[in-house]
Amino acid sequence: MDLYEHQARELFEEHGIVVPRAEVTDSPRQAREIARRLGGRVVVKAQVRTGGRGKAGGVGLAADPAAAELTARRILGMDIKGHTVGTVMLAQPVDIEEEFYVSYVLDRAAGCFLAIASAEGGMDIEEVAATRPEAVARVPVDPAEGVTSATAARIAEAAGLPPQTVDVLVRLWEVLVREDALLVEVNPLARTRDGRITALDGKVTLDDNATFRQARWGTEHSTHHDPLEAAAAAKGIDYVKLDGEVGIIGNGAGLVMSTLDVVAGRGARPANFLDIGGGASAQVMADGLSVVLSDPSVKSVLVNVFGGITACDAVADGIVRALDTVRLTKPLVVRLDGNNAARGRAVLDAYAHPLVEQATTMDGAAERAARLATTP
Ligand code: GDP
Ligand code: MN
């Protein structure tokens, strides 16, 4: 999950990195008040979770509170790369002498973190990296060792940053570790006319696996761009949207993954991954089924459950309950095996829905679901 700039700014401040005084609002009238509090002149910045706001017109300098209100009015509601601006941050402007780029990012391939730094910050770092790669230093960071003053000094030297940035580099690493981030980036890290090093923009990506201990950010920012994924997440269901036409529901990530493979082996493409988990209740089954059925590209649905902790009759009850509320318009193939399988099958037999059929093996179920999805 990506944080907004103002949230990143807050974290930086808490860890002793110098940031401009700033406040956030969604109202132009309030923007005027804030500008007055901040001394009149302010930078007005769109709060969207995407970069390149400057180039898109989402960053404006206002000379006085009245101008701040107008600028806020212009930026609020703007569309920046598909993100609608709902709030702006007003910050005290600083006189920039030099702009640097610094970040720490997880390098999964190398199994370590990477410090990326450049004395040519401010603009598009990707562009600098592409045209003048020698201007961008990349220094591996051992996650166990972290960034000590000595490491930070090496990073600064490799990138040609002034010695005053060493302290910021150490603190920025602390942000990454303490806040469970996978990425922390400051661009620009500015040297101001009075010689101070100030973080003027921040990007922080938190590790979603650590959400449970970073409760202050809530879950509203979680990165579900697909509306079906968002709906599933809201119900606490493990769902990933895929490109195919066979809706898949199973229990246990391993079983669901192999169900995807078997369906693909039968010449159809899975429409999703959905794991109702071990010990799934009828309610979870019902919720999962309604998510899969609301996907318009789904042509058939395959429910593949091996009952261990999960009892197959509870799964069958869930299917029946779901079909009482969601009108089934697509064929549903169900394979129940394991704990209480016979009872589960009996529940579905008794329900006798014309679009529900049962299969006894995973292979047979996959073949049937694939055929139903691919024959017009
Ligand atoms: P981004 O375009 O989304 O990366 O947004 P930034 O927050 O990095 O702002 C873009 C540019 O606006 C920066 O590179 C700076 O050159 C400029 N900028 C931001 N804050 C200030 C400020 O306080 N004073 C001055 N002079 N320029 C600023
Ligand atoms: Mn920036």
Side-chain angles (χ1 to χ4, degrees), residues 5 20 41 43 45 50-56 59 61 91-96 99 121-123 187-188 200-202:
E5 177 195 17
R41 265 183 90 230
V43 186
K45 307 176 79 177
T50 181
R53 296 163 304 164
K55 280 187 192 162
V59 177
L61 190 66
Q92 275 184 341
V94 305
D95 288 330
I96 301 175
E99 292 183 309
M123 58 190 124
N187 188 31
L200 287 195
D201 182 17

Side-chain angles (χ1 to χ4, degrees), residues 31-251:
R32 181 194 284 249
E33 294 307 311
I34 293 169
R36 192 169 291 141
R37 274 202 290 281
L38 293 176
R41 265 183 90 230
V42 285
V43 186
V44 185
K45 307 176 79 177
Q47 296 301 287
V48 279
R49 288 192 295 251
T50 181
R53 296 163 304 164
K55 280 187 192 162
V59 177
L61 190 66
D64 54 50
E69 178 174 341
L70 288 177
T71 306
R73 204 177 289 286
R74 175 178 69 76
I75 293 177
L76 285 165
M78 241 177 98
D79 179 280
I80 300 180
K81 298 181 189 167
H83 300 250
T84 306
V85 181
T87 54
V88 289
M89 182 174 89
L90 293 97
Q92 275 184 341
V94 305
D95 288 330
I96 301 175
E97 190 80 15
E98 274 185 288
E99 292 183 309
F100 313 125
Y101 174 96
V102 297
S103 69
Y104 295 113
V105 60
L106 177 61
D107 182 345
R108 293 183 191 271
C112 68
F113 282 86
L114 206 54
I116 304 177
S118 174
E120 298 182 25
M123 58 190 124
D124 215 336
I125 192 66
E126 279 86 3
E127 205 174 300
V128 179
T131 54
R132 310 192 343 92
E134 70 282 1
V136 181
R138 302 159 71 88
V139 180
V141 175
D142 181 334
E145 203 173 290
V147 175
T148 60
S149 297
T151 328
R154 274 199 292 119
I155 297 165
E157 202 193 320
L161 305 182
Q164 303 102 290
T165 59
V166 167
D167 179 59
V168 178
L169 284 164
V170 171
R171 290 174 190 273
L172 195 60
W173 177 260
E174 280 169 21
V175 173
L176 180 112
V177 174
R178 296 263 174 263
E179 311 297 333
D180 290 315
L182 297 174
L183 166 84
V184 289
E185 180 190 74
V186 185
N187 188 31
L189 177 67
R191 189 166 66 79
T192 62
R193 200 146 303 159
D194 56 8
R196 300 218 294 170
I197 303 292
T198 307
L200 287 195
D201 182 17
K203 178 172 179 189
V204 171
T205 303
L206 300 181
D207 184 345
D208 286 338
N209 294 310
T211 307
F212 70 97
R213 58 182 182 201
Q214 301 294 346
R216 71 191 270 194
W217 306 119
T219 48
E220 89 255 36
H221 304 307
S222 75
T223 44
H224 294 290
H225 301 300
D226 183 276
L228 285 168
E229 289 186 359
K235 291 176 175 169
I237 292 172
D238 251 338
Y239 170 92
V240 180
K241 176 83 182 89
L242 300 171
D243 285 335
E245 53 287 322
V246 180
I248 310 273
I249 300 175
N251 64 325

Side-chain angles (χ1 to χ4, degrees), residues 291-315:
V291 169
V292 171
L293 287 172
S294 63
D295 176 355
S297 48
V298 163
K299 301 253 174 18
S300 71
V301 180
L302 169 53
V303 175
N304 186 20
V305 169
F306 187 86
I309 304 168
T310 307
C312 289
D313 54 335
V315 170

